Amino acid sequence: EVQLVESGGGLVQPGGSLRLSCAASGFTFSSYDMHWVRQATGKGLEWVSAIGTAGDTYYPGSVKGRFTISRENAKNSLYLQMNSLRAGDTAVYYCARVVGSLHFDLWGRGTLVTVSS
Amino acid sequence: DIQMTQSPSSLSASVGDRVTITCRASQSISSYLNWYQQKPGKAPKLLIYAASSLQSGVPSRFSGSGSGTDFTLTISSLQPEDFATYYCQQSYSTSNLYTFGQGTKLEIK
């Protein structure tokens, strides 16, 4: 089955760190650009980071310098290292696959990150 | 940075209605515009990509149009399962790659 499964979410204090993982299955993971998208409760979707097949990475200004996306093709896995976390980073984090004209055709179910003291 | 603005933010409609949601980009994005549907507690689902291409498995009552800065998502005859929140997303800018609109919540009248 073609799927993405996120893990690693949880409760973390402001200023803390967390590493999210996304396990891919059912497709050739190394052939696809991969992304993280987040959604705060009751809010809209916010793109968080992207990594290309060659390992090139991209971030919006809101997380640049604090978040690091990486991939391990041998393990069919995507990661998001989140440092210096803030209350505003509280959200469900989705990993997503990108195809064609840069649209997200496959999403995971998400993992909840809560930043609170 | 490219900003995406959807209208309306919310919409009430009845089963069988024809509904149109608009998305406007702050600068031209050619046809790099995608539409997603999201139901509560679920991940978004791709409906339309490249402004007007229907994703495999998506009912034909969904259609998209537009290019440049103005885009529309149309549902020709609303079904009960279509009540959800809809997001547009641009994939044109390489500096702010994947901006989403703020969403349009479609509710039952």
Side-chain angles (χ1 to χ4, degrees):
Chain A
E1 181 184 1
V2 176
Q3 64 177 357
L4 299 169
V5 179
E6 302 93 338
S7 61
L11 176 64
V12 60
Q13 292 188 339
S17 298
L18 207 59
R19 188 195 197 205
L20 305 184
S21 299
C22 172
S25 59
F27 64 98
T28 306
F29 177 73
S30 60
S31 297
Y32 291 87
D33 294 354
M34 297 296 297
H35 295 244
W36 290 95
V37 175
R38 69 184 180 185
Q39 185 173 38
T41 301
K43 302 299 184 181
L45 300 167
E46 180 186 15
W47 171 69
V48 172
S49 61
I51 186 166
T53 56
D56 45 315
T57 59
Y58 306 88
Y59 307 91
S62 58
V63 307
K64 196 169 188 177
R66 300 189 299 123
F67 289 12
T68 302
I69 188 172
S70 62
R71 66 191 301 161
E72 191 167 358
N73 291 335
K75 292 187 176 182
N76 292 327
S77 292
L78 178 71
Y79 306 103
L80 185 67
Q81 177 67 42
M82 303 185 294
N83 299 330
S84 303
L85 283 162
R86 309 163 179 166
D89 296 319
T90 295
V92 173
Y93 284 72
Y94 297 100
C95 63
R97 183 179 77 174
V98 164
V99 296
S101 60
L102 307 181
H103 51 274
F104 301 112
D105 77 322
L106 180 66
W107 298 69
R109 292 185 176 183
T111 187
L112 176 63
V113 172
T114 303
V115 183
S116 175
S117 55
Chain B
D1 294 357
I2 299 176
Q3 307 299 321
M4 306 302 294
T5 304
Q6 287 182 234
S7 60
S9 296
S10 63
L11 174 62
S12 294
S14 301
V15 172
D17 284 353
R18 179 182 180 91
V19 167
T20 298
I21 298 170
T22 297
C23 181
R24 174 164 288 176
S26 58
Q27 65 186 71
S28 177
I29 57 170
S30 185
S31 295
Y32 287 89
L33 191 284
N34 311 304
W35 290 98
Y36 302 86
Q37 175 194 67
Q38 188 180 33
K39 296 181 179 180
K42 300 294 186 182
K45 172 188 173 183
L46 177 67
L47 298 176
I48 302 287
Y49 63 93
S52 60
S53 295
L54 190 68
Q55 173 69 353
S56 176
V58 174
S60 58
R61 62 181 180 271
F62 291 93
S63 64
S65 64
S67 66
T69 60
D70 295 314
F71 302 86
T72 59
L73 172 70
T74 299
I75 310 173
S76 61
S77 179
L78 272 175
Q79 298 302 301
E81 60 269 29
D82 299 337
F83 292 94
T85 300
Y86 294 84
Y87 294 93
C88 63
Q89 170 243 325
Q90 66 86 12
S91 53
Y92 178 83
S93 168
T94 57
S95 61
N96 188 4
L97 280 175
Y98 296 95
T99 320
F100 289 90
Q102 81 277 17
T104 295
K105 187 173 184 179
L106 179 54
E107 299 175 304
I108 300 174
K109 184 181 286 185

